[in-house]
Amino acid sequence: YLLHNLYCALEDLFQEIAKTFENRIEDLSKYHRELLKRMQLDVPGIRPRVLSKESYLILDELRGFRHIFRHSYDYELAPDRVKSLKQKILTNWRYIERDLDIFIDFLQGAMKD
């Protein structure tokens, strides 16, 4: 449940970034995947990328887990896979935190201009 909520909180942040700096996502059937992919893109003259490749790969796996958690009513989660994902997030959180800090620095610089 906490891993699901972590991804949802990050996705809410990415939605705000997309609404503020870009147009809408065209293919709503792939909305969650496309939103995450979009956060890897540098949009020249608009905003820098939000996520590095390392962060994207970690969060894409977490996105997949969120989907299973939310939509698989008859599917039992494998405790060892959940534990492995949790460990991966904890081990690699520094990449995500670094990327978000860089984006915050961009926002703070933009507010000074």
Side-chain angles (χ1 to χ4, degrees):
Y1 179 74
L2 294 175
L3 290 172
H4 166 273
N5 285 352
L6 173 63
Y7 187 79
C8 288
L10 289 167
E11 187 173 76
D12 287 348
L13 173 66
F14 301 151
Q15 287 172 340
E16 288 302 316
I17 291 169
K19 276 196 271 183
T20 302
F21 293 99
E22 307 162 41
N23 292 329
R24 67 189 182 287
I25 292 175
E26 305 301 325
D27 185 355
L28 295 180
S29 69
K30 298 177 185 175
Y31 178 80
H32 301 283
R33 178 180 299 139
E34 293 304 313
L35 178 64
L36 188 60
K37 278 183 175 180
R38 191 172 279 200
M39 294 299 109
Q40 285 188 102
L41 299 176
D42 180 42
V43 184
I46 306 292
R47 68 156 177 86
R49 69 180 169 87
V50 178
L51 298 174
S52 63
K53 183 71 171 174
E54 297 92 354
S55 293
Y56 170 80
L57 291 172
I58 296 160
L59 292 177
D60 192 41
E61 188 171 347
L62 189 56
R63 180 193 58 78
F65 171 80
R66 184 209 64 88
H67 180 80
I68 290 170
F69 183 87
R70 188 173 273 190
H71 297 289
S72 297
Y73 304 109
D74 294 333
Y75 181 81
E76 229 177 279
L77 296 174
D80 56 326
R81 291 186 69 191
V82 174
K83 186 176 180 179
S84 175
L85 179 58
K86 174 188 165 192
Q87 190 56 48
K88 184 180 276 189
I89 297 297
L90 291 172
T91 301
N92 294 292
W93 183 253
R94 68 184 182 275
Y95 296 118
I96 298 162
E97 189 172 28
R98 175 203 62 204
D99 291 347
L100 295 177
D101 285 343
I102 290 169
F103 193 74
I104 289 168
D105 289 344
F106 158 74
L107 293 174
Q108 288 173 336
M111 290 177 19
K112 290 178 185 175
D113 292 342

